[in-house]
Amino acid sequence: MRSKKMTGGLEKAPHRSLLQAMGLTRREVDRPLIGVCNAFNEVIPGHVHLRQLTQAVKDGVRSAGGTPMEFPAIGVCDGLAMNHEGMKFSLPSREIIADSIEIMATAHPFDALVCVASCDKIIPGMLMAMLRLNIPALLVSGGPMLAGRFQKKGADLITVFEAVGRVKAGTLDQDGLAEMEACACPTCGSCAGMFTANTMNCLAEGMGLALPGNGTIPAVLAARTRLAKTAGEQVMELLQKDLKPRDIVTGKSARNAVALDMALGGSTNTVLHLPAVFREAGLTVDLALFDEISKKTPNLCKLSPSGHHHIEDLDAAGGIQAVLSELVRGGFADGGALTATGKTVAENLADLKVRVLDADVIRPLDKPYSAEGGIAILFGNIAPQGCVVKQAAVAPEMMQRTGTARPFDSEEEAVAAILGGKITKNDVVVIRYEGPRGGPGMREMLTPTSAIAGMGLGSDVALITDGRFSGGTRGAAIGHVSPEAASGGPIGLVRDGDKIRIDIPGRSLELLVDAAELDKRRAAWKPKTRPITSPFLRRYAERVSSAAQGAVLEG
């Protein structure tokens, strides 16, 4: 056992003494030691209940003959960090989480690992660590929040974000907003739509590093606790079989995860996270692969923000396994990929007798919401290295549009213009210097997109940025423009009044300015720099890669 580096032999008597100082018996010390990383905190709604689930994991480990050893992980709530300097720290926290788990599981050589969390960026950071360490490991999600109700309609966090724009537009008053605030997020759990947290929890199940049910069982159900307990037992089975994450995560798993992402209409943040996760397994998942799979994988689900369904509806319809069953049946996913159950995707589907229980929530292959996947990759003279849009959430009239550029050099400037009524129909809001290096930290910008939607401009105004968006964003919001402005990207050359042509079906994003004029602008232009007061963000900006490569740290 790996833990014998710490507990075995004469010279490890001091180590055993320290372990016994915590109340462990010698028998417990001699058993397999299982690290249980608990991202509980009292800041994130998706994490506030994780003590109970972590205890269930530990109960499962003990019942199967192991000794659980709990340790923490940090977590940023993207909703609470939104639209202020705190959001600069969200994406960088992914690397800190992965590094800290590696530190804990190497300094104290656990035999296996279970990671418990709910939210973005914690889930991808944990997956990165699991693959980097390559010891038997499982991910356990805290589960999704139930949807709220407001004025007899479904509501969630995005409803509240968009309500800010409604108040500015005069279609909702302050009393209505206060009522909405109190009911839109009714339980603990990761926010109720197919936003980034839930997308990543679903994809963890799809790539085989989490058990069936991980992505969709609501946080408040007893089934979620049973799943956590089963995970504790199952990690002991993985240890016995010496089945490691890199045995499970192969090229098949990577393609399955991207196909599932497209079928679900997942968050555009997956285009940052999946490359970073699979990179730890030595696999290349780039924009070309996303585009290839998107063009041939049907979009079978439209959950909030793309539609009116929520994760609880997907769970009731059969969950991720039901979506996988459709994809395998159509040849869009590989049923031979191995999973953390120790069985293949196809074997899991057979054992669970999986079937789709609601054909409106999970459309059949012959009646998809669209023939292409939920995410599209665009290229053009603004984004030579590519950019990303959640096409499943774009109004039909915005799929092809030529509009007038309204460039801003920060999120704050853009939000002030939008809420100030300075953005009108057929404008294309361009927000730059918000990329991984220029932000720094590549802030998630749900506030401007929600303001556009809330003010009734979602079918008339596009937004383009070298930053990124929340998984809750809807509309013609095109992000991850690469290279970013701070790295000399041509998005920095856009001027007020320029025309920009968006062609999502044609996978094109073009600044309608001739090459000679762009060369002239480039010769007279120097990318802007911002003073960075945080030592951590300064180091991050120096080392972070392009969004087109997953915004990973180099070197």
mmCIF file with all atom_site columns, all heavy atoms in Angstrom, residues 6-22:
data_model
loop_
_atom_site.group_PDB
_atom_site.id
_atom_site.type_symbol
_atom_site.label_atom_id
_atom_site.label_alt_id
_atom_site.label_comp_id
_atom_site.label_asym_id
_atom_site.label_entity_id
_atom_site.label_seq_id
_atom_site.pdbx_PDB_ins_code
_atom_site.Cartn_x
_atom_site.Cartn_y
_atom_site.Cartn_z
_atom_site.occupancy
_atom_site.B_iso_or_equiv
_atom_site.pdbx_formal_charge
_atom_site.auth_seq_id
_atom_site.auth_comp_id
_atom_site.auth_asym_id
_atom_site.auth_atom_id
_atom_site.pdbx_PDB_model_num
ATOM 1   N N   . MET A 1 6  ? 4.401  5.963  4.880  1.00 0.00 ? 6  MET A N   1
ATOM 2   C CA  . MET A 1 6  ? 4.190  6.806  6.058  1.00 0.00 ? 6  MET A CA  1
ATOM 3   C C   . MET A 1 6  ? 3.987  5.983  7.333  1.00 0.00 ? 6  MET A C   1
ATOM 4   O O   . MET A 1 6  ? 4.264  6.465  8.430  1.00 0.00 ? 6  MET A O   1
ATOM 5   C CB  . MET A 1 6  ? 2.967  7.700  5.815  1.00 0.00 ? 6  MET A CB  1
ATOM 6   C CG  . MET A 1 6  ? 2.624  8.680  6.906  1.00 0.00 ? 6  MET A CG  1
ATOM 7   S SD  . MET A 1 6  ? 1.341  9.861  6.381  1.00 0.00 ? 6  MET A SD  1
ATOM 8   C CE  . MET A 1 6  ? -0.083 8.790  6.126  1.00 0.00 ? 6  MET A CE  1
ATOM 9   N N   . THR A 1 7  ? 3.529  4.735  7.199  1.00 0.00 ? 7  THR A N   1
ATOM 10  C CA  . THR A 1 7  ? 3.124  3.971  8.391  1.00 0.00 ? 7  THR A CA  1
ATOM 11  C C   . THR A 1 7  ? 3.889  2.670  8.596  1.00 0.00 ? 7  THR A C   1
ATOM 12  O O   . THR A 1 7  ? 3.757  2.052  9.662  1.00 0.00 ? 7  THR A O   1
ATOM 13  C CB  . THR A 1 7  ? 1.625  3.625  8.309  1.00 0.00 ? 7  THR A CB  1
ATOM 14  O OG1 . THR A 1 7  ? 1.397  2.769  7.168  1.00 0.00 ? 7  THR A OG1 1
ATOM 15  C CG2 . THR A 1 7  ? 0.780  4.885  8.202  1.00 0.00 ? 7  THR A CG2 1
ATOM 16  N N   . GLY A 1 8  ? 4.675  2.238  7.614  1.00 0.00 ? 8  GLY A N   1
ATOM 17  C CA  . GLY A 1 8  ? 5.270  0.898  7.696  1.00 0.00 ? 8  GLY A CA  1
ATOM 18  C C   . GLY A 1 8  ? 6.726  0.888  8.118  1.00 0.00 ? 8  GLY A C   1
ATOM 19  O O   . GLY A 1 8  ? 7.505  1.780  7.775  1.00 0.00 ? 8  GLY A O   1
ATOM 20  N N   . GLY A 1 9  ? 7.099  -0.097 8.899  1.00 0.00 ? 9  GLY A N   1
ATOM 21  C CA  . GLY A 1 9  ? 8.511  -0.301 9.237  1.00 0.00 ? 9  GLY A CA  1
ATOM 22  C C   . GLY A 1 9  ? 8.930  0.363  10.533 1.00 0.00 ? 9  GLY A C   1
ATOM 23  O O   . GLY A 1 9  ? 8.256  1.246  11.071 1.00 0.00 ? 9  GLY A O   1
ATOM 24  N N   . LEU A 1 10 ? 10.086 -0.052 10.998 1.00 0.00 ? 10 LEU A N   1
ATOM 25  C CA  . LEU A 1 10 ? 10.624 0.427  12.268 1.00 0.00 ? 10 LEU A CA  1
ATOM 26  C C   . LEU A 1 10 ? 10.797 1.939  12.290 1.00 0.00 ? 10 LEU A C   1
ATOM 27  O O   . LEU A 1 10 ? 10.420 2.618  13.255 1.00 0.00 ? 10 LEU A O   1
ATOM 28  C CB  . LEU A 1 10 ? 11.977 -0.258 12.534 1.00 0.00 ? 10 LEU A CB  1
ATOM 29  C CG  . LEU A 1 10 ? 12.752 0.218  13.762 1.00 0.00 ? 10 LEU A CG  1
ATOM 30  C CD1 . LEU A 1 10 ? 11.992 -0.125 15.044 1.00 0.00 ? 10 LEU A CD1 1
ATOM 31  C CD2 . LEU A 1 10 ? 14.153 -0.413 13.779 1.00 0.00 ? 10 LEU A CD2 1
ATOM 32  N N   . GLU A 1 11 ? 11.363 2.493  11.197 1.00 0.00 ? 11 GLU A N   1
ATOM 33  C CA  . GLU A 1 11 ? 11.688 3.914  11.188 1.00 0.00 ? 11 GLU A CA  1
ATOM 34  C C   . GLU A 1 11 ? 10.446 4.807  11.113 1.00 0.00 ? 11 GLU A C   1
ATOM 35  O O   . GLU A 1 11 ? 10.545 6.031  11.268 1.00 0.00 ? 11 GLU A O   1
ATOM 36  C CB  . GLU A 1 11 ? 12.629 4.231  10.017 1.00 0.00 ? 11 GLU A CB  1
ATOM 37  C CG  . GLU A 1 11 ? 12.017 4.156  8.635  1.00 0.00 ? 11 GLU A CG  1
ATOM 38  C CD  . GLU A 1 11 ? 11.939 2.734  8.069  1.00 0.00 ? 11 GLU A CD  1
ATOM 39  O OE1 . GLU A 1 11 ? 12.158 1.753  8.833  1.00 0.00 ? 11 GLU A OE1 1
ATOM 40  O OE2 . GLU A 1 11 ? 11.655 2.597  6.857  1.00 0.00 ? 11 GLU A OE2 1
ATOM 41  N N   . LYS A 1 12 ? 9.274  4.210  10.890 1.00 0.00 ? 12 LYS A N   1
ATOM 42  C CA  . LYS A 1 12 ? 8.040  5.008  10.831 1.00 0.00 ? 12 LYS A CA  1
ATOM 43  C C   . LYS A 1 12 ? 7.282  4.991  12.161 1.00 0.00 ? 12 LYS A C   1
ATOM 44  O O   . LYS A 1 12 ? 6.120  5.417  12.216 1.00 0.00 ? 12 LYS A O   1
ATOM 45  C CB  . LYS A 1 12 ? 7.129  4.495  9.701  1.00 0.00 ? 12 LYS A CB  1
ATOM 46  C CG  . LYS A 1 12 ? 7.741  4.638  8.303  1.00 0.00 ? 12 LYS A CG  1
ATOM 47  C CD  . LYS A 1 12 ? 8.166  6.060  8.001  1.00 0.00 ? 12 LYS A CD  1
ATOM 48  C CE  . LYS A 1 12 ? 8.553  6.274  6.550  1.00 0.00 ? 12 LYS A CE  1
ATOM 49  N NZ  . LYS A 1 12 ? 9.582  5.392  6.036  1.00 0.00 ? 12 LYS A NZ  1
ATOM 50  N N   . ALA A 1 13 ? 7.932  4.549  13.226 1.00 0.00 ? 13 ALA A N   1
ATOM 51  C CA  . ALA A 1 13 ? 7.292  4.579  14.554 1.00 0.00 ? 13 ALA A CA  1
ATOM 52  C C   . ALA A 1 13 ? 6.847  5.999  14.933 1.00 0.00 ? 13 ALA A C   1
ATOM 53  O O   . ALA A 1 13 ? 5.745  6.182  15.469 1.00 0.00 ? 13 ALA A O   1
ATOM 54  C CB  . ALA A 1 13 ? 8.231  3.998  15.610 1.00 0.00 ? 13 ALA A CB  1
ATOM 55  N N   . PRO A 1 14 ? 7.670  7.041  14.698 1.00 0.00 ? 14 PRO A N   1
ATOM 56  C CA  . PRO A 1 14 ? 7.198  8.391  15.027 1.00 0.00 ? 14 PRO A CA  1
ATOM 57  C C   . PRO A 1 14 ? 5.947  8.789  14.245 1.00 0.00 ? 14 PRO A C   1
ATOM 58  O O   . PRO A 1 14 ? 5.061  9.480  14.773 1.00 0.00 ? 14 PRO A O   1
ATOM 59  C CB  . PRO A 1 14 ? 8.387  9.278  14.645 1.00 0.00 ? 14 PRO A CB  1
ATOM 60  C CG  . PRO A 1 14 ? 9.570  8.377  14.671 1.00 0.00 ? 14 PRO A CG  1
ATOM 61  C CD  . PRO A 1 14 ? 9.055  7.052  14.213 1.00 0.00 ? 14 PRO A CD  1
ATOM 62  N N   . HIS A 1 15 ? 5.885  8.354  12.990 1.00 0.00 ? 15 HIS A N   1
ATOM 63  C CA  . HIS A 1 15 ? 4.731  8.673  12.163 1.00 0.00 ? 15 HIS A CA  1
ATOM 64  C C   . HIS A 1 15 ? 3.471  8.020  12.747 1.00 0.00 ? 15 HIS A C   1
ATOM 65  O O   . HIS A 1 15 ? 2.417  8.663  12.859 1.00 0.00 ? 15 HIS A O   1
ATOM 66  C CB  . HIS A 1 15 ? 4.940  8.175  10.730 1.00 0.00 ? 15 HIS A CB  1
ATOM 67  C CG  . HIS A 1 15 ? 6.176  8.695  10.065 1.00 0.00 ? 15 HIS A CG  1
ATOM 68  N ND1 . HIS A 1 15 ? 7.442  8.440  10.533 1.00 0.00 ? 15 HIS A ND1 1
ATOM 69  C CD2 . HIS A 1 15 ? 6.331  9.450  8.943  1.00 0.00 ? 15 HIS A CD2 1
ATOM 70  C CE1 . HIS A 1 15 ? 8.341  9.009  9.740  1.00 0.00 ? 15 HIS A CE1 1
ATOM 71  N NE2 . HIS A 1 15 ? 7.686  9.638  8.757  1.00 0.00 ? 15 HIS A NE2 1
ATOM 72  N N   . ARG A 1 16 ? 3.610  6.739  13.130 1.00 0.00 ? 16 ARG A N   1
ATOM 73  C CA  . ARG A 1 16 ? 2.467  6.036  13.713 1.00 0.00 ? 16 ARG A CA  1
ATOM 74  C C   . ARG A 1 16 ? 2.046  6.686  15.029 1.00 0.00 ? 16 ARG A C   1
ATOM 75  O O   . ARG A 1 16 ? 0.855  6.760  15.354 1.00 0.00 ? 16 ARG A O   1
ATOM 76  C CB  . ARG A 1 16 ? 2.799  4.561  13.919 1.00 0.00 ? 16 ARG A CB  1
ATOM 77  C CG  . ARG A 1 16 ? 3.014  3.787  12.612 1.00 0.00 ? 16 ARG A CG  1
ATOM 78  C CD  . ARG A 1 16 ? 3.074  2.297  12.838 1.00 0.00 ? 16 ARG A CD  1
ATOM 79  N NE  . ARG A 1 16 ? 4.228  1.895  13.626 1.00 0.00 ? 16 ARG A NE  1
ATOM 80  C CZ  . ARG A 1 16 ? 5.432  1.601  13.136 1.00 0.00 ? 16 ARG A CZ  1
ATOM 81  N NH1 . ARG A 1 16 ? 5.643  1.664  11.818 1.00 0.00 ? 16 ARG A NH1 1
ATOM 82  N NH2 . ARG A 1 16 ? 6.421  1.222  13.932 1.00 0.00 ? 16 ARG A NH2 1
ATOM 83  N N   . SER A 1 17 ? 3.011  7.182  15.763 1.00 0.00 ? 17 SER A N   1
ATOM 84  C CA  . SER A 1 17 ? 2.693  7.856  17.023 1.00 0.00 ? 17 SER A CA  1
ATOM 85  C C   . SER A 1 17 ? 1.868  9.107  16.778 1.00 0.00 ? 17 SER A C   1
ATOM 86  O O   . SER A 1 17 ? 0.899  9.389  17.507 1.00 0.00 ? 17 SER A O   1
ATOM 87  C CB  . SER A 1 17 ? 3.990  8.222  17.751 1.00 0.00 ? 17 SER A CB  1
ATOM 88  O OG  . SER A 1 17 ? 3.728  8.856  18.986 1.00 0.00 ? 17 SER A OG  1
ATOM 89  N N   . LEU A 1 18 ? 2.216  9.860  15.744 1.00 0.00 ? 18 LEU A N   1
ATOM 90  C CA  . LEU A 1 18 ? 1.451  11.064 15.414 1.00 0.00 ? 18 LEU A CA  1
ATOM 91  C C   . LEU A 1 18 ? 0.020  10.718 14.991 1.00 0.00 ? 18 LEU A C   1
ATOM 92  O O   . LEU A 1 18 ? -0.928 11.415 15.357 1.00 0.00 ? 18 LEU A O   1
ATOM 93  C CB  . LEU A 1 18 ? 2.151  11.843 14.297 1.00 0.00 ? 18 LEU A CB  1
ATOM 94  C CG  . LEU A 1 18 ? 3.448  12.561 14.694 1.00 0.00 ? 18 LEU A CG  1
ATOM 95  C CD1 . LEU A 1 18 ? 4.166  13.069 13.456 1.00 0.00 ? 18 LEU A CD1 1
ATOM 96  C CD2 . LEU A 1 18 ? 3.156  13.705 15.659 1.00 0.00 ? 18 LEU A CD2 1
ATOM 97  N N   . LEU A 1 19 ? -0.121 9.653  14.240 1.00 0.00 ? 19 LEU A N   1
ATOM 98  C CA  . LEU A 1 19 ? -1.458 9.243  13.826 1.00 0.00 ? 19 LEU A CA  1
ATOM 99  C C   . LEU A 1 19 ? -2.293 8.800  15.026 1.00 0.00 ? 19 LEU A C   1
ATOM 100 O O   . LEU A 1 19 ? -3.486 9.114  15.129 1.00 0.00 ? 19 LEU A O   1
ATOM 101 C CB  . LEU A 1 19 ? -1.370 8.121  12.787 1.00 0.00 ? 19 LEU A CB  1
ATOM 102 C CG  . LEU A 1 19 ? -0.780 8.539  11.428 1.00 0.00 ? 19 LEU A CG  1
ATOM 103 C CD1 . LEU A 1 19 ? -0.516 7.320  10.562 1.00 0.00 ? 19 LEU A CD1 1
ATOM 104 C CD2 . LEU A 1 19 ? -1.709 9.515  10.710 1.00 0.00 ? 19 LEU A CD2 1
ATOM 105 N N   . GLN A 1 20 ? -1.656 8.100  15.950 1.00 0.00 ? 20 GLN A N   1
ATOM 106 C CA  . GLN A 1 20 ? -2.379 7.665  17.145 1.00 0.00 ? 20 GLN A CA  1
ATOM 107 C C   . GLN A 1 20 ? -2.713 8.841  18.056 1.00 0.00 ? 20 GLN A C   1
ATOM 108 O O   . GLN A 1 20 ? -3.662 8.793  18.840 1.00 0.00 ? 20 GLN A O   1
ATOM 109 C CB  . GLN A 1 20 ? -1.561 6.605  17.886 1.00 0.00 ? 20 GLN A CB  1
ATOM 110 C CG  . GLN A 1 20 ? -1.502 5.283  17.102 1.00 0.00 ? 20 GLN A CG  1
ATOM 111 C CD  . GLN A 1 20 ? -0.627 4.230  17.757 1.00 0.00 ? 20 GLN A CD  1
ATOM 112 O OE1 . GLN A 1 20 ? -1.058 3.561  18.689 1.00 0.00 ? 20 GLN A OE1 1
ATOM 113 N NE2 . GLN A 1 20 ? 0.604  4.098  17.266 1.00 0.00 ? 20 GLN A NE2 1
ATOM 114 N N   . ALA A 1 21 ? -1.955 9.932  17.941 1.00 0.00 ? 21 ALA A N   1
ATOM 115 C CA  . ALA A 1 21 ? -2.256 11.132 18.715 1.00 0.00 ? 21 ALA A CA  1
ATOM 116 C C   . ALA A 1 21 ? -3.609 11.722 18.343 1.00 0.00 ? 21 ALA A C   1
ATOM 117 O O   . ALA A 1 21 ? -4.211 12.471 19.121 1.00 0.00 ? 21 ALA A O   1
ATOM 118 C CB  . ALA A 1 21 ? -1.166 12.178 18.502 1.00 0.00 ? 21 ALA A CB  1
ATOM 119 N N   . MET A 1 22 ? -4.109 11.383 17.138 1.00 0.00 ? 22 MET A N   1
ATOM 120 C CA  . MET A 1 22 ? -5.418 11.874 16.696 1.00 0.00 ? 22 MET A CA  1
ATOM 121 C C   . MET A 1 22 ? -6.541 10.924 17.089 1.00 0.00 ? 22 MET A C   1
ATOM 122 O O   . MET A 1 22 ? -7.697 11.125 16.689 1.00 0.00 ? 22 MET A O   1
ATOM 123 C CB  . MET A 1 22 ? -5.406 12.082 15.180 1.00 0.00 ? 22 MET A CB  1
ATOM 124 C CG  . MET A 1 22 ? -4.447 13.172 14.723 1.00 0.00 ? 22 MET A CG  1
ATOM 125 S SD  . MET A 1 22 ? -4.578 13.544 12.970 1.00 0.00 ? 22 MET A SD  1
ATOM 126 C CE  . MET A 1 22 ? -3.917 12.030 12.251 1.00 0.00 ? 22 MET A CE  1
#
